[in-house]
Amino acid sequence: RLRRAVIDVTRRTYATTTTAAYAPVFTNALLVIKTTPIAEYTSLIGSGELYQSDRYARVKERHETHKSSVNAIKRMLSDRGVKYRCVERAALKAESVEGCDLVIALGGDGTTLIAAHEVRSTDVPILGINTDPATPSDLAKLYLTNVCLDERRSTGHLCAANRFNAEQVLDSALRGETKPARLARIRTTINGRELEPALNDVLIAHPSPAAVSRYSLKLPGKEDAYFHIRSSGLRTCTASGSTAATYSAGGCLMPYDSTDMQYMDREPIYYDHAPPPSSAGHRFYKRGETMRLRWNSRVGVVYIDGAHVKHDIMLGDDVEMSSDGPELSLFVSPWFKTMRESQGKKLDT
């Protein structure tokens, strides 16, 4: 009964009465679809490693909501004469985007970020749709509960729409009424090898959170001058990512259209520096400026936009980062712009 209720509510949410009476500006879409954990849970139950439980019922409910949302988006596109192809998020490759003029990420922020890694041209915009969002009411109730389970869901900061307003936002994009924002991304190289462009942030750290990360940062404007740092790692972020981990760590919110790259050391050890660095491990790099460092720990990991995409590094590797990555065209929500437009930087750049 619960499953039928979820599907029925979602269908009513997405109900359309007529075929769109306009010529869409996008005609070939790629749907990048999140893979929910339902298959893993079902496999564990089948092998006897996990029994049917309330947790499984909740995972199944979330899966059904996501699946119903995906099917509703497909119907909307078909009703408007937009051709589409589908690819699971884990199977997405650069070749998947070829021949498409619009990428629709169906999941949450993670799916939108993964989709962005394979889009290198501003000619192909991305529209993220949160298929199972947490409502303001959910957030208010789920941060503090009388059970020890965290049932919070995606808030979809990078998604222009969610399952409740998807039809309105999609129509506005297909009509050409809403234009995507052009956002800066971080270009990262390891010994000259270029990695995926980061829309949110790049984290470099020892693979053990309890270990010290050692690296030498080249000082801007000084030939062969390095500042040697021991910390819990370092993070750089774009304007888009300035509301995420960097802000939680004491960083600054940046205007959404800023092309700067923000840099922060994580929990740096400065007691043995005389004097401590004037920037206290926090500064901005303008577009065209490159941050260069040498990794001095035996091992390390470069994380691109979260935990899903990562690259190993080792002692002596040279890493460079800048905001010169290929810009991304992303449809964003009004909140995305308003949140960042009202904020100035706390530090001189």
Side-chain angles (χ1 to χ4, degrees):
R1 289 195 299 270
L2 175 62
R3 175 180 174 180
R4 285 199 300 270
V6 169
I7 294 175
D8 289 344
V9 168
T10 306
R11 282 176 177 168
R12 288 197 298 272
T13 301
Y14 284 125
T16 57
T17 56
T18 59
T19 301
Y22 60 86
V25 297
F26 302 106
T27 57
N28 291 284
L30 175 69
L31 307 188
V32 181
I33 302 173
K34 171 185 177 179
T35 303
T36 69
I38 189 66
E40 180 181 357
Y41 271 73
T42 303
S43 176
L44 290 173
I45 290 174
S47 64
E49 299 178 56
L50 182 71
Y51 296 97
Q52 294 273 0
S53 63
D54 291 341
R55 175 63 180 168
Y56 176 77
R58 285 188 288 270
V59 170
K60 189 174 183 180
E61 177 187 349
R62 303 271 62 83
H63 171 75
E64 295 295 346
T65 300
H66 166 72
K67 185 172 68 174
S68 186
S69 298
V70 170
N71 290 335
I73 298 299
K74 291 178 180 179
R75 291 195 298 271
M76 290 182 202
L77 293 173
S78 295
D79 289 345
R80 288 151 178 79
V82 178
K83 299 177 182 178
Y84 64 84
R85 292 184 286 110
C86 301
V87 60
E88 291 288 329
R89 186 175 80 179
L92 180 66
K93 299 178 180 179
E95 295 77 14
S96 307
V97 184
E98 294 178 359
C100 297
D101 55 11
L102 174 66
V103 172
I104 302 177
L106 299 176
D109 284 342
T111 306
T112 301
L113 289 168
I114 293 297
H117 291 164
E118 303 302 339
V119 177
R120 306 298 176 95
S121 171
T122 54
D123 294 335
V124 182
I126 296 178
L127 193 158
I129 298 177
N130 192 343
T131 53
D132 185 23
T135 66
S137 174
D138 290 335
L139 293 175
K141 292 185 295 185
L142 295 178
Y143 274 112
L144 181 64
T145 66
N146 59 358
V147 294
C148 58
L149 296 175
D150 188 347
E151 295 297 335
R152 291 174 295 173
R153 303 190 297 282
S154 173
T155 51
H157 291 297
L158 297 173
C159 296
N162 56 50
R163 71 186 184 94
F164 301 110
N165 66 351
E167 185 170 16
Q168 175 187 353
V169 174
L170 185 61
D171 274 334
S172 183
L174 293 179
R175 288 192 183 101
E177 296 170 352
T178 301
K179 303 297 182 184
R182 290 185 60 147
L183 305 176
R185 291 196 283 183
I186 296 173
R187 185 191 304 275
T188 306
T189 65
I190 301 175
N191 299 327
R193 176 173 62 90
E194 188 166 338
L195 310 182
E196 298 83 355
L199 176 61
N200 251 12
D201 52 29
V202 178
L203 169 66
I204 306 179
H206 192 284
S208 169
V212 173
S213 295
R214 295 174 169 86
Y215 48 95
S216 297
L217 184 68
K218 190 176 187 305
L219 298 180
K222 297 185 179 181
E223 190 68 24
D224 297 329
Y226 289 86
F227 189 75
H228 308 297
I229 303 168
R230 292 183 294 171
S231 71
S232 296
L234 64 121
R235 177 179 280 110
T236 60
C237 77
T238 63
S240 302
S242 66
T243 59
T246 297
Y247 185 63
S248 296
C252 304
L253 297 180
M254 303 163 65
Y256 82 94
D257 56 354
S258 170
T259 58
D260 291 355
M261 178 179 75
Q262 187 173 176
Y263 157 79
M264 289 189 73
D265 293 320
R266 301 172 70 220
E267 302 167 345
I269 302 171
Y270 287 147
Y271 65 85
D272 56 354
H273 289 74
S278 59
S279 66
H282 184 195
R283 73 180 300 267
F284 293 86
Y285 287 81
K286 294 286 191 182
R287 175 166 284 179
E289 296 180 332
T290 300
M291 190 189 83
R292 296 179 173 88
L293 66 91
R294 180 190 189 272
W295 188 250
N296 293 330
S297 291
R298 185 175 60 85
V299 292
V301 183
V302 178
Y303 298 93
I304 307 292
D305 286 333
H308 294 293
V309 179
K310 57 186 180 180
H311 301 270
D312 293 330
I313 54 176
M314 58 188 300
L315 178 68
D317 281 346
D318 292 316
V319 180
E320 295 188 356
M321 285 182 279
S322 71
S323 59
D324 296 332
E327 289 188 336
L328 181 73
S329 293
L330 180 70
F331 287 98
V332 298
S333 66
W335 175 91
F336 181 93
K337 291 185 177 181
T338 303
M339 173 72 172
R340 293 160 175 82
E341 283 175 342
S342 62
Q343 302 295 328
K345 296 174 185 175
K346 299 178 184 176
L347 298 178
D348 293 333
T349 59

